[in-house]
Amino acid sequence: MTGLPSRLSRVRPVWLLLFAALLAGLVWLGWQVGQRWAHPPVTARPALWRISQGPHVAYLFGTVHAVPRGSNWLSPEIERAIGGSNGLILEVTGLDRERRSRDVFEKLGRSPNLPPIEARLSTQDAARYKALADRRGAAMHGLSAYESWAAALLVSAAASQHLGLSSDDAGEAILEARFTKAGHPVRGLETIPGQLSLFDTLPEADQRRLLSQSVREADEAAILYDQLYDSWAKGDLPRLVRQVLAPLRQAPG
């Protein structure tokens, strides 16, 4: 994933696209997914940290929520870390259930008597949104029933649905399957209601900022994702900081 246009080399906030992939990913296939990684060549070598204190050792591994189908990030180093660990702590658990039902998302994301999406956007962004809705069809239907943060995630999910990404092949599904099969505990640092509540309690001005961002970046979703995946796959930490963290300083909320 090289040779990206220079006009996109500037800092771009791609985390919204990735969080949308977290919710809109394909249904987890269980341990059979893990079996795919028995022999294919490693195609990515993301960063892995080893943390130790006395005899105690832990590993910190940063994942992306969806990867291109066929990607193999299970490097020998990561395999050794899995084999030497007796428990797994994820960012959040219950993703498979939420992807199937969207119960929490629907409960928090819908509200009555909301203004149309176009009325929450600038004139220019409203025109972009209408063009996007015309192209995406059913994937963009009924978004005016959602609060602005939820509509932003759904716009980003619609923009990324044709990218050939799979949450089944990404870190959460593969690692959870491996540790569950081994009989090791799997826990989450956060909950899905807790994470989505962070969006749900944002001031409307910040929610509309997210909505505008998702509309403006929809047509560049493939390039934006390729940039981020390329950085992650190479373990390029300075570039990841620029891509993911630096833009958040523009909107502290």
Side-chain angles (χ1 to χ4, degrees):
M1 300 191 180
T2 57
L4 297 173
S6 58
R7 65 187 177 88
L8 287 172
S9 62
R10 62 189 184 277
V11 172
R12 302 302 302 274
V14 295
W15 62 271
L16 187 63
L17 178 67
L18 292 179
F19 197 88
L22 172 65
L23 292 178
L26 300 176
V27 174
W28 177 43
L29 299 179
W31 174 241
Q32 289 83 357
V33 175
Q35 295 285 21
R36 297 180 194 169
W37 303 118
H39 299 294
V42 174
T43 57
R45 289 187 177 273
L48 176 72
W49 286 264
R50 183 182 186 274
I51 308 164
S52 63
Q53 184 177 40
H56 306 292
V57 177
Y59 297 91
L60 180 63
F61 176 48
T63 65
V64 289
H65 296 309
V67 298
R69 291 188 183 91
S71 299
N72 182 6
W73 44 266
L74 279 170
S75 66
E77 294 83 0
I78 296 174
E79 285 282 13
R80 283 193 291 271
I82 294 172
S85 300
N86 58 11
L88 175 66
I89 301 176
L90 297 172
E91 174 189 351
V92 64
T93 56
L95 292 179
D96 178 51
R97 183 170 59 253
E98 178 64 13
R99 288 190 188 111
R100 290 174 183 271
S101 67
R102 289 204 336 198
D103 285 342
V104 178
F105 181 81
E106 292 292 321
K107 181 179 179 180
L108 294 178
R110 285 182 177 267
S111 287
N113 305 317
L114 293 170
I117 294 293
E118 292 88 339
R120 306 180 218 175
L121 298 167
S122 68
T123 301
Q124 190 174 23
D125 286 341
R128 290 191 183 103
Y129 173 80
K130 185 179 184 304
L132 181 65
D134 289 342
R135 293 195 303 274
R136 297 297 181 184
M140 302 282 290
H141 179 71
L143 295 195
S144 292
Y146 290 90
E147 297 176 21
S148 297
W149 70 267
L153 292 179
L154 291 173
V155 168
S156 292
S160 62
Q161 68 180 174
H162 301 299
L163 302 186
L165 305 180
S166 171
S167 57
D168 303 330
D169 296 338
E172 287 89 345
I174 299 294
L175 293 174
E176 185 170 3
R178 293 280 291 267
F179 278 80
T180 299
K181 182 176 176 63
H184 295 320
V186 177
R187 293 181 291 148
L189 287 174
E190 302 179 11
T191 65
I192 292 172
Q195 282 201 346
L196 293 182
S197 292
L198 296 175
F199 288 90
D200 191 47
T201 55
L202 283 174
E204 179 62 18
D206 284 337
Q207 292 191 34
R208 293 190 181 190
R209 183 194 293 265
L210 294 180
L211 181 58
S212 295
Q213 174 188 320
S214 66
V215 170
R216 293 173 186 174
E217 296 186 350
D219 288 336
E220 296 177 344
I223 296 175
L224 290 171
Y225 178 84
D226 284 356
Q227 283 185 313
L228 182 108
Y229 181 80
D230 186 61
S231 300
W232 176 78
K234 293 176 179 176
D236 189 340
L237 303 182
R239 191 179 179 206
L240 284 171
V241 168
R242 293 194 301 272
Q243 290 170 317
V244 180
L245 298 182
L248 296 180
R249 301 190 186 107
Q250 301 170 13

